[in-house]
Amino acid sequence: MAKISIIGSGFSGLSAACFAARDGHEVTVYEKNSAIGGRARTYTEQGFTFDMGPSWYWMPDIFDNFFAQFGKKTEDYYKLKKLDPGFQIVFDQDELLQIPAELKALYLRFEEVEPGSSVALHKFLKEAQFKYEVGMKDLVYKPAFSWLEYANLRVAKGMLQSNLFSSVSRYVKKYFKDPKLVALMEFPVLFLGAMANKIPALYTMMNYSALVQGTWYPEGGMHQIISGMHKLALELGVTFHTGTPVEKILVEDGEVKALQTPGGSFECDGIIASADYHHVEQQLLEEKYRNYPASYWSEKTFAPSCLIYYIGVDKRIDKLLHHSLFFDADFKKHAGDIYKTPQWPEKPLFYVCCPSKTDDTVAPAGMENLFILVPVATALEDTEETRNGYFDGIISRIEAFSGTTFKENIIYKKSYCINDFVDDYNAYGGNAYGLANTLGQTAVLKPSLKNKKLGNLFYTGQLTVPGPGVPPAIISGQVAAQELLKALTKKHPHETTI
């Protein structure tokens, strides 16, 4: 039985802990914050329960598959509700596009917007399903140590048929002309951290999940997923130490031997780092043991950070759905302010999650729970003055759309931005989503899952393979755990417990 230490308790850390413990090892998770969950933590204030980070539940089969590998079902830990409409895009006060949960209704909606587009949608989604089958069942489970991993005929054929070398933007515009439909089909890749003309068309597989599998909600909030994974980890015998930041990784004879924390050092046979990759390398490891120099990170393309507002309102707000995307501003200008000339946007697009439309437990009766997210560039100067400067304009735009004035009814407000991501997660540049999934940062071209100088140190999470997002993070933890256990078995071939 090996002693395995996990740094960080986000989705990838919890996943890695579960898989390592399933195989009989002694697993300990060290979390710097006081609560489990990483970016998916939760907090309650004045009767409002806020999910601090992820709010979209897509790719339900990935969650099902995770729990199934432990002989469990998703419903053993939380209940899901399918949202209908799944979400809406607001183009101005009078023009919006709601996405129905049923595919037949979706085809009719497309026809209303662009006659003939339902035929194009059928073909588009069929191809997206193929990409999803290849991408989420083959590609993402590769550790990406070598391109040879992708050399089998099915995977290679799948990569070529998935339009890997075309962009999402070019691919979408082959099928749809109406700008509203183009915006709908391009929007999911915003979570991948680059403009649609920089993201490989492989990632239109996300449209399959969004439009065919649908948008779901775990009753009680997204933190129920974390609670479920935490409970499973405890059932498997994992030990957790919260409020315990790791200060240093101790190395001896070319292997990691222990973690140094404020409470002392803890010996281990292997480490999986779910904390920020850059932080682990630059702050916890001596220079000679790092995969990459500091300059490597400054040259990478990062997904955005976010300006988030957690808001409690003591009245109901009309017309908002659980998920509403406000595309009532110049998308190209906002994207340019993130990726081309990084600066605070003049008039940003933003996203509103209003879970109280679905869940009575997240707000007091008759009130609304709002999570407002504005994508912004990383490494900007983050001040309270800047945060406050955006607030009134955003609230005014929501009021104009909803026909409900509620600024004076806001009884709770908290902002969260770049400085908080750095303080809470040691996030490089205050990034929120990790590395952008550009072609030059795909698979083998991402930061390596393994430390190339220390055979028993592996990395997991949004800065390594397979990439940003909750399902990929869960998969990343699984792959990292499997690769560490392989490394330990190879080192101790006669010790069958490893």
Side-chain angles (χ1 to χ4, degrees):
M1 183 171 66
K3 288 185 177 181
I4 296 174
S5 295
I6 312 287
I7 306 174
S9 67
F11 284 109
S12 63
L14 288 173
S15 175
C18 288
F19 280 102
R22 181 192 66 177
D23 291 348
H25 302 291
E26 183 181 331
V27 180
T28 305
V29 177
Y30 298 88
E31 169 57 53
K32 75 179 286 287
N33 293 307
S34 60
I36 297 294
R39 284 166 168 77
R41 291 179 298 154
T42 183
Y43 78 99
T44 299
E45 196 69 48
Q46 296 183 31
F48 299 94
T49 299
F50 297 99
D51 281 315
M52 295 188 68
S55 58
W56 293 82
Y57 196 105
W58 282 348
M59 305 184 184
D61 54 313
I62 302 301
F63 298 90
D64 293 343
N65 181 60
F66 169 78
F67 287 109
Q69 293 184 76
F70 302 92
K72 304 288 186 178
K73 296 180 180 179
T74 303
E75 53 263 36
D76 293 334
Y77 298 98
Y78 54 87
K79 294 181 180 180
L80 288 171
K81 178 178 181 178
K82 192 172 188 180
L83 303 182
D84 190 12
F87 57 93
Q88 65 183 358
I89 300 178
V90 178
F91 295 101
D92 59 40
Q93 293 182 30
D94 303 311
E95 189 173 23
L96 59 86
L97 182 61
Q98 293 188 344
I99 308 306
E102 295 302 321
L103 201 53
K104 184 177 180 180
L106 181 67
Y107 286 129
L108 291 174
R109 188 73 186 94
F110 266 61
E111 281 294 322
E112 291 171 1
V113 176
E114 181 181 322
S117 63
S118 63
V119 176
L121 177 62
H122 183 270
K123 184 179 179 182
F124 184 98
L125 291 179
K126 187 175 181 180
E127 293 189 4
Q129 180 177 5
F130 171 78
K131 294 172 191 176
Y132 188 86
E133 293 290 329
V134 171
M136 298 310 295
K137 291 186 178 178
D138 288 327
L139 300 182
V140 296
Y141 287 94
K142 306 292 184 184
F145 297 147
S146 165
W147 288 112
L148 293 176
E149 296 169 24
Y150 305 91
N152 79 65
L153 186 61
R154 169 177 161 77
V155 173
K157 182 180 177 182
M159 291 178 74
L160 291 174
Q161 287 186 240
S162 295
N163 310 100
L164 184 63
F165 302 104
S166 179
S167 73
V168 166
S169 181
R170 182 184 303 172
Y171 183 78
V172 166
K173 287 172 183 172
K174 282 172 47 181
Y175 288 87
F176 309 104
K177 304 301 179 187
D178 187 278
K180 293 188 290 297
L181 297 185
V182 171
L184 165 65
M185 303 308 272
E186 289 185 353
F187 116 79
V189 303
L190 289 175
F191 297 105
L192 301 178
M195 297 172 70
N197 64 353
K198 300 292 184 182
I199 297 287
L202 165 67
Y203 293 103
T204 54
M205 66 179 176
M206 292 180 67
N207 294 104
Y208 170 75
S209 185
L211 301 179
V212 178
Q213 293 181 323
T215 303
W216 299 78
Y217 174 73
E219 294 180 6
M222 291 290 288
H223 62 279
Q224 296 297 329
I225 312 167
I226 290 292
S227 296
M229 295 177 74
H230 181 211
K231 183 179 179 182
L232 173 61
L234 292 173
E235 292 168 353
L236 293 166
V238 177
T239 301
F240 288 84
H241 294 299
T242 55
T244 307
V246 174
E247 298 174 327
K248 189 175 183 181
I249 295 174
L250 305 178
V251 178
E252 184 180 310
D253 298 327
E255 291 186 330
V256 298
K257 290 294 184 181
L259 294 177
Q260 180 69 47
T261 75
S265 62
F266 298 88
E267 293 184 354
C268 59
D269 299 305
I271 294 174
I272 299 174
S274 175
D276 182 90
Y277 199 131
H278 169 271
H279 171 75
V280 172
E281 291 239 310
Q282 298 298 315
Q283 302 300 323
L284 307 187
L285 280 174
E286 293 182 47
E287 185 174 357
K288 60 185 176 182
Y289 300 125
R290 299 169 188 167
N291 276 348
Y292 309 105
S295 59
Y296 169 88
W297 297 99
S298 63
E299 295 167 357
K300 306 305 285 184
T301 301
F302 275 80
S305 187
C306 305
L307 168 56
I308 301 171
Y309 301 103
Y310 309 101
I311 301 170
V313 183
D314 69 356
K315 68 185 293 187
R316 304 297 279 184
I317 302 172
D318 294 335
K319 294 179 69 175
L320 286 181
L321 298 182
H322 191 116
H323 298 294
S324 300
L325 296 136
F326 280 74
F327 279 31
D328 57 339
D330 188 332
F331 174 79
K332 289 184 178 179
K333 177 67 170 64
H334 186 178
D337 290 340
I338 296 174
Y339 301 112
K340 290 184 178 179
T341 54
Q343 59 187 308
W344 287 98
E346 182 178 344
K347 186 179 180 182
L349 287 73
F350 59 92
Y351 155 65
V352 180
C353 180
C354 187
S356 47
K357 295 294 184 186
T358 304
D359 189 345
D360 293 336
T361 70
V362 299
M367 300 189 189
E368 300 282 30
N369 173 321
L370 299 183
F371 169 101
I372 301 174
L373 183 151
V374 182
V376 299
T378 59
L380 299 176
E381 183 181 5
D382 174 17
T383 67
E384 283 299 318
E385 182 180 7
T386 301
R387 298 185 189 194
N388 293 332
Y390 283 95
F391 187 73
D392 288 348
I394 287 171
I395 297 301
S396 294
R397 286 159 68 183
I398 299 173
E399 288 182 330
F401 164 70
S402 67
T404 308
T405 57
F406 63 90
K407 183 180 177 182
E408 301 303 319
N409 297 89
I410 294 174
I411 59 174
Y412 177 79
K413 171 192 167 189
K414 176 182 178 180
S415 65
Y416 196 96
C417 199
I418 294 169
N419 292 347
D420 300 299
F421 282 102
V422 173
D423 291 343
D424 288 350
Y425 312 120
N426 297 308
Y428 180 75
N431 80 86
Y433 295 106
L435 285 180
N437 269 351
T438 59
L439 186 58
Q441 295 180 166
T442 295
V444 178
L445 303 178
K446 286 185 182 292
S448 178
L449 192 78
K450 66 179 178 180
N451 186 288
K452 301 170 185 177
K453 300 168 185 177
L454 303 169
N456 57 345
L457 171 60
F458 287 76
Y459 306 89
T460 186
Q462 60 184 16
L463 292 180
T464 184
V465 292
V470 176
I474 292 173
I475 293 168
S476 181
Q478 174 181 345
V479 177
Q482 291 171 345
E483 293 305 317
L484 173 60
L485 297 184
K486 284 181 188 177
L488 294 178
T489 301
K490 187 176 181 179
K491 181 187 173 189
H492 305 280
H494 303 298
E495 297 180 23
T496 56
T497 54
I498 295 178

